[in-house]
Amino acid sequence: MSPERDVERDTRAERDTRSEPNYDDHFDAIVVGAGLAGSAAALTMADRDLEVLLIERGSSPGAKNVFGGVLYTPTIRELTDFETAPLERYVSERRFSMLSQDDETAVSLRPGAWHTEPHNDSYTVLRGDFDEWFAEQAVEKGTTLVTETTVTGLVRDGGRIVGVETDRPDGTIRAPYVVLAEGGNSLVSEGANLKSTETRENVAVAVKEVLEFPDTDDAIEDRFRLLEDAGASYHYFGEGAVGDAFGGGFIYTNEDTISVGVAYRIEDAVAANQSPEATLNAFKTHPAVAPLVRDARTVEYAAKTIPEGGAESVPELVHDGAAIVGDAAGLVLNNGVHLEGTNMAVESGYQAGRTIAEAAAAGRTDAGALASYPTALENSFVMKNLEHYDWLMTKAEADRELLFETLPRAFASAGTEYFRMDRDPKRVHEASAKRTVLDAVGGWVGAAKLAFRYRKVVT
Amino acid sequence: MSVQPQIPPVENESLEDRLYTVRYDDPGDSHLDVKVADVCATCETNDCVKVCPANVWREGDDGVPTIAYENCLECSSCRFACTYDNVVWEYPKTGGGVTFKHG
Ligand SMILES: Cc1cc2nc3c(=O)[nH]c(=O)nc-3n(C[C@H](O)[C@H](O)[C@H](O)COP(=O)(O)OP(=O)(O)OC[C@H]3O[C@@H](n4cnc5c(N)ncnc54)[C@H](O)[C@@H]3O)c2cc1C
Ligand code: SF4
Ligand code: SF4
């Protein structure tokens, strides 16, 4: 890039976003949505000297965004000045609980190594703060950010995508490349027939509250057994979490608030005859959860959908003049044990950005020239993880009653039996506990079949 | 000792109080609608009403739901829930609608 363009870029970055500048053909690439995927793409392209316009509908990046959540940071750490990132706590414990109506059976991990940098690249964050910071990192590399602007459609020339329509007074903005990073509610990609609308079996509704403890100092540290900036990630499944629905509950510790929520498939939410809000209330009053959230006050109530169709739902990722990244491309791993989308959003934005910069250097915009983006994703953890777990969702769906109702109950009663205090010898309790679990899974044959069905979880 | 499970009282705030925690900039008109009112009138499941975490969709007298769009959290669940694909869902104009401080 010539020095003049650098100067021009600086002034452009400071323009009043509410005036009516003519952005047409000023930019090499337009990114739709300043979420994690969009900012990663913008940052990557700006870093390679492309003129990038990042368009966000919210009043600031993150203003419309909601997640659980733990941010997974292996790629972000490399792309940014990560020391300055607004992080809440690092994850020092991960806990998985099965809840029946009254019981909890939990497994907890607190590896010593997670206390030291880079903390397994897992941090709780609040998206309002984090997304704003991340977009700022892209702006520092030269990206132009406009907010309060919604992209309403794509501009085509023949089959090629050559720009976007917006709800701004000047409307159309043309550029050789468009990156669709609009998240799971991808109205633009769907409107342009770049993907189909997900069915409700493949989308979860999530409701979440950020809670604070106004009357209790150190409530978070005490209840979650934490010191300083260590944090906890608690996942819950079973009928005590979300009834007989496919999904679960979560609690994450922030610096001085906690995030509590439930997420379950829309298909089940409508069948349950209980509003998502009521499901959240029930989860919070479960005997295992209530002591963690008592005396808390709601600071924020939020809701959002999670695309969870897995590898099979990923659309064509590149088109002539465009690439789809992040949740818009369905890149979320949600299988009960893992809930990861942040790392996939950032990685896909980064890979798409790199590819576009290379294509721009070669002077090409056709889908063929962008093919190295899907290839890079295929070879990365993103598609490998999605493909690895696709089978799990299908199997788990078939075993749903067993996994979410029968087993949590059986484990709880086996545990009670195993530790039962009476005047029978331990051997009697052990045998009875074993029988309870075996009965639940259909005897030895059932257990062997179950182990075989889920062998890939451990192999 | 009590035989009841030891559940401390958890006060769940009302939906009104919860919705009060988020900022809403009214863009002036609704970003939500139904495509064909007759489809809603014959729809028996009202899944839009059931899934909405903000009570935006409400059962209407004539079978067509009424929409209190000012409560919308923009989660998009109603859009996926309706099996008749009868929900019109747009983003509120010029960045209006809900703003989350934390997310
Ligand atoms: C309840 C919940 C819990 C989750 N928990 C976790 C977790 O703990 N860990 C984890 O790794 N992942 C989690 N995820 C998944 C993760 O949040 C997503 O995968 C990730 O945020 C996707 O990033 P994105 O940039 O693709 O989309 P988004 O973060 O959704 O960003 C999209 C952006 O585009 C903007 N936009 C949309 N349309 C337009 C338009 N037309 N014009 C202009 N701007 C537009 C939006 O305002 C938004 O800023 C969770 C998701 C949910 C909903
Ligand atoms: S919007 Fe859909 S789900 Fe709601 S009443 Fe109409 S047809 Fe039924
Ligand atoms: S988007 Fe969500 S909050 Fe808004 S009306 Fe639809 S279901 Fe309700």
Side-chain angles (χ1 to χ4, degrees), chain A residues 167-230:
Chain A
D167 63 353
R168 296 173 65 87
D170 48 331
T172 310
I173 311 169
R174 284 169 190 267
Y177 305 96
V178 175
V179 177
L180 292 148
E182 48 181 333
N185 191 19
S186 41
L187 300 178
V188 180
S189 302
E190 289 170 37
N193 285 326
L194 303 186
K195 65 179 278 197
S196 52
T197 308
E198 263 301 355
T199 58
R200 63 188 196 174
E201 300 87 62
N202 284 340
V203 182
V205 50
V207 279
K208 165 184 164 177
E209 278 182 305
V210 175
L211 303 173
E212 67 176 8
F213 301 94
D215 310 319
T216 334
D217 287 340
D218 300 329
I220 296 170
E221 287 79 1
D222 292 349
R223 292 179 197 191
F224 295 86
R225 302 168 299 146
L226 301 169
L227 281 178
E228 292 170 9
D229 51 350

Side-chain angles (χ1 to χ4, degrees), chain A residues 209 277 281 284 296-298, chain B residues 11-15 17-18:
Chain A
E209 278 182 305
E277 194 212 7
N281 290 347
K284 284 170 65 186
R297 195 179 70 190
T298 308
Chain B
E11 247 184 80
N12 280 307
E13 283 169 56
S14 68
L15 183 60
D17 285 344
R18 280 176 165 152

Side-chain angles (χ1 to χ4, degrees), chain A residues 1-30 46 49-54 139 141-147 168 170 173-175:
Chain A
M1 291 284 129
S2 65
E4 294 97 65
R5 275 196 95 168
D6 277 330
V7 172
E8 193 186 308
R9 178 201 288 169
D10 284 343
T11 52
R12 196 181 299 136
E14 284 163 21
R15 272 183 195 160
D16 178 1
T17 57
R18 281 171 181 272
S19 66
E20 296 184 27
N22 181 7
Y23 284 142
D24 225 13
D25 279 330
H26 267 65
F27 294 95
D28 299 315
I30 296 168
D49 285 338
L50 297 196
E51 293 282 343
V52 182
L53 177 64
L54 177 57
V139 169
K141 303 263 187 202
T143 298
T144 301
L145 168 69
V146 296
T147 55
R168 296 173 65 87
D170 48 331
I173 311 169
R174 284 169 190 267

Side-chain angles (χ1 to χ4, degrees), chain A residues 57 63-65 67 126-128 167 185 190 200 205 207-209 270 276-277 281 284 298-301 305, chain B residues 12-13 18 21-22 47 50-51 53 74-77 79-81 89 91 94-96 98 100-103:
Chain A
R57 71 187 187 90
K64 298 284 190 184
N65 295 350
F67 91 138
L126 296 167
R127 295 288 298 274
D167 63 353
N185 191 19
E190 289 170 37
R200 63 188 196 174
V205 50
V207 279
K208 165 184 164 177
E209 278 182 305
V270 298
E277 194 212 7
N281 290 347
K284 284 170 65 186
T298 308
V299 185
E300 187 169 273
Y301 178 62
T305 51
Chain B
N12 280 307
E13 283 169 56
R18 280 176 165 152
T21 63
V22 292
D47 292 338
K50 286 184 194 158
V51 79
E74 293 164 37
C75 74
S76 76
S77 303
R79 191 174 162 249
F80 296 103
W89 208 110
Y91 281 122
T94 55
V98 72
F100 299 114
K101 198 160 167 288
H102 300 298

Side-chain angles (χ1 to χ4, degrees), chain B residues 34 39-40 43 45-49 57 63 65 81-84 86-87:
Chain B
V34 297
V39 172
C40 293
C43 167
T45 53
N46 283 5
D47 292 338
C48 54
V49 176
W57 297 80
C82 174
T83 46
Y84 301 98
N86 204 35
V87 172

